[in-house]
Amino acid sequence: MAHIAIERVDALKNGDLHDLCDAADEAIKVGGGFGWVDPPSRDVMERYWKGVLVVPERILFVARLDGVIAGSAQLVKPPRNNEAQGHAASLTTAFVAPWARSHGLARRLTQAVEEEARAAGFRVLNLDVRATQAAAITLYETLGFKRWGTHPFYALVKGDRIAGHFYSKDLGPTTPQDGTPP
């Protein structure tokens, strides 16, 4: 049986960075990337992941399958100057490498991001996804995310316009772990 772990990551060891870049490359190649249509050069990909870790509003989660990073997702907090939307965070850049699918990693990553958002006092979790990503759409809908809109020209992939769907999930009224009101 495969060993699965979901971790919040504050730093990447060299081997982890390599695994994360490899997993992202493979996901991008099969159309399950997170914005890239083709994998960028390795130095660009490494800079991207290193950059994620220094942005205070981003929290990176990784999924490990038998100790190897096989996917990730990010919780993005709203900017501090957006008081009116300060109750809502976003789930973004979620993917699982093709070789690691069908082990429940995407579900567990999504649940980890949701739990972190709820613990931080957010009341809403937003996400968006290409209309072509049927498995992701099914997952999000089974986890209670509600589609509230569709953008017909959301993405341009190899010359083709791809629609995108926007989802939100009401996390309910919560109080952050430090006891301050949300």
Side-chain angles (χ1 to χ4, degrees):
M1 182 176 213
H3 179 262
I4 296 169
I6 306 299
E7 302 168 8
R8 179 180 167 161
V9 176
D10 296 317
L12 289 167
K13 293 176 264 175
N14 215 22
D16 286 347
L17 180 60
H18 177 77
D19 290 349
L20 184 55
C21 290
D22 284 349
D25 282 351
E26 293 303 315
I28 293 165
K29 288 176 188 172
V30 297
F34 43 89
W36 277 301
V37 174
D38 295 304
S41 64
R42 182 51 61 114
D43 64 313
V44 169
M45 182 69 79
E46 287 179 1
R47 281 195 313 269
Y48 170 77
W49 291 115
K50 288 175 183 177
V52 165
L53 294 174
V54 299
V55 177
E57 291 80 21
R58 288 185 178 260
I59 300 172
L60 177 64
F61 291 86
V62 297
R64 292 183 189 271
L65 183 61
D66 294 329
V68 178
I69 293 179
S72 78
Q74 294 175 46
L75 174 66
V76 179
K77 300 174 185 179
R80 292 181 192 122
N81 68 333
N82 192 348
E83 185 178 354
Q85 292 178 346
H87 67 288
S90 297
L91 165 67
T92 187
T93 59
F95 72 91
V96 173
W99 54 266
R101 293 181 181 166
S102 300
H103 291 279
L105 298 177
R107 175 177 294 277
R108 291 185 58 186
L109 278 166
T110 303
Q111 290 169 327
V113 169
E114 183 178 332
E115 288 168 15
E116 181 77 19
R118 190 175 276 115
F122 292 103
R123 296 180 182 196
V124 174
L125 187 59
N126 296 311
L127 64 87
D128 54 89
V129 62
R130 291 183 203 160
T132 55
Q133 295 175 306
I137 290 167
T138 299
L139 170 67
Y140 296 138
E141 290 178 354
T142 61
L143 289 173
F145 286 85
K146 304 294 182 204
R147 186 183 308 177
W148 58 265
T150 298
H151 186 317
F153 311 118
Y154 173 81
L156 188 62
V157 178
K158 302 194 187 285
D160 293 329
R161 291 179 177 178
I162 309 280
H165 302 306
F166 295 85
Y167 287 85
S168 64
K169 183 172 183 176
D170 183 351
L171 302 178
T174 59
T175 302
Q177 290 178 341
D178 67 4
T180 59

